[in-house]
Amino acid sequence: MTPERPPRSVRPDRGKRALDVAAAAFLLVLLAPVMAVVALLVAAGLGRPVLFRQRRAGRHGEPFELVKFRTMRPLDPRRGLVADAERLTPLGRWLRSTSLDELPTLWNVLRGDMSLVGPRPLLPEYLSRYSSHQARRHEVRPGVTGLAQVRGRNGLSWEEKFDLDVEYVETHSLRLDLSILVATVRTVLRREGISAAGVATAPEFLGTPAGPAPRYAEAATSSSVPRGPAVTVRQGGRR
């Protein structure tokens, strides 16, 4: 008797998870000397702690602790260090422009919190602000890089990013992941889309205003790609 084939949305994750584990383990070993140098630079330039830890929303909205190299000074209203632009140092800007601050997230990939490719993990506070369509970005593991990161990164609006995130959820494959990884190398080398216009990093997502159906919703309605199961989003909080 031929075994019943699993749904399409499940089958690619087997090979994807194996690729994530193998690649993350290999890169963590290969890049250990680079990470050690970056850690020393952060310790000398920003002090301790060297690592930045923040709770983010993962697959199905489950919270996890994202680990990156620190790029900003701590919040300090007495010294006027409140906005991102005031807290970012030249070293922090360089780390962000080269994406070297992201190297510790390979540990999140190895743990299974993230994938190499997928929608970027965002703050748990955003979960209640998504439309039902935008919340579909949590049907897969979040990624170190993704479709939105190679098609404009922080130069895109939140709605455009979420549109691309859902497009990835509906069309992801090993071939697409490999093409995104190659495109990510090109984007990092060109240092494209590092920050949104007028801000040091990216503006806070406050929700999509009510109004006429946005472009991404119309596209999803007319798409021939079957939709996956509904996502159960669990609200979490920042530590």
Side-chain angles (χ1 to χ4, degrees), residues 3 15 23 32 40 48 59 69 71 74 83 85 103-104 120 125 147 182 189 228:
L40 290 174
R48 296 177 183 276
R59 191 178 188 185
F69 282 119
T71 58
L103 292 181
R120 285 288 296 172
E125 289 91 327
L147 202 54
V182 171
L189 291 177

Side-chain angles (χ1 to χ4, degrees), residues 161-234:
K161 290 179 188 176
F162 298 151
D163 190 10
L164 291 169
D165 289 344
V166 176
E167 178 181 333
Y168 175 79
V169 169
E170 295 180 335
T171 62
H172 70 280
S173 65
L174 184 58
R175 182 177 180 180
L176 178 60
D177 281 10
L178 293 176
S179 69
I180 290 173
L181 289 173
V182 171
T184 297
V185 174
R186 184 169 59 246
T187 299
V188 170
L189 291 177
R190 292 176 178 174
R191 303 190 181 186
E192 297 172 337
I194 298 169
S195 59
V199 295
T201 53
E204 180 181 358
F205 174 61
L206 300 173
T208 301
R215 178 176 57 83
Y216 58 82
E218 294 172 353
T221 302
S222 60
S223 173
S224 60
V225 179
R227 289 197 173 198
V231 180
T232 301
V233 177
R234 299 190 178 97

Side-chain angles (χ1 to χ4, degrees), residues 5 8 14 26 45 47 69 75 79 85 93 96 107 121 123 152 159 164 170 185-186 192 201 222 226 234:
R5 299 181 69 183
R8 180 190 178 282
R14 295 178 180 172
F26 174 75
F69 282 119
L75 279 169
R79 297 172 56 197
R93 288 191 178 88
R96 285 176 175 249
W107 174 247
L123 297 173
E159 286 74 19
L164 291 169
E170 295 180 335
V185 174
R186 184 169 59 246
E192 297 172 337
T201 53
S222 60
R234 299 190 178 97

Side-chain angles (χ1 to χ4, degrees), residues 82-95:
V82 179
D84 289 352
E86 298 158 346
R87 298 168 58 208
L88 265 177
T89 65
L91 172 63
R93 288 191 178 88
W94 178 73
L95 290 175

Side-chain angles (χ1 to χ4, degrees), residues 96 99 148-149 151-156 161 187 192-194:
R96 285 176 175 249
S99 296
Q149 280 61 54
R151 291 191 183 176
R153 209 172 172 183
N154 286 329
L156 301 174
K161 290 179 188 176
T187 299
E192 297 172 337
I194 298 169

Side-chain angles (χ1 to χ4, degrees), residues 90-126:
L91 172 63
R93 288 191 178 88
W94 178 73
L95 290 175
R96 285 176 175 249
S97 69
T98 56
S99 296
L100 288 172
D101 62 317
E102 301 279 356
L103 292 181
T105 58
L106 291 170
W107 174 247
N108 289 115
V109 175
L110 198 61
R111 281 171 45 89
D113 301 324
M114 296 175 62
S115 174
L116 290 176
V117 181
R120 285 288 296 172
L122 299 176
L123 297 173
E125 289 91 327
Y126 292 0

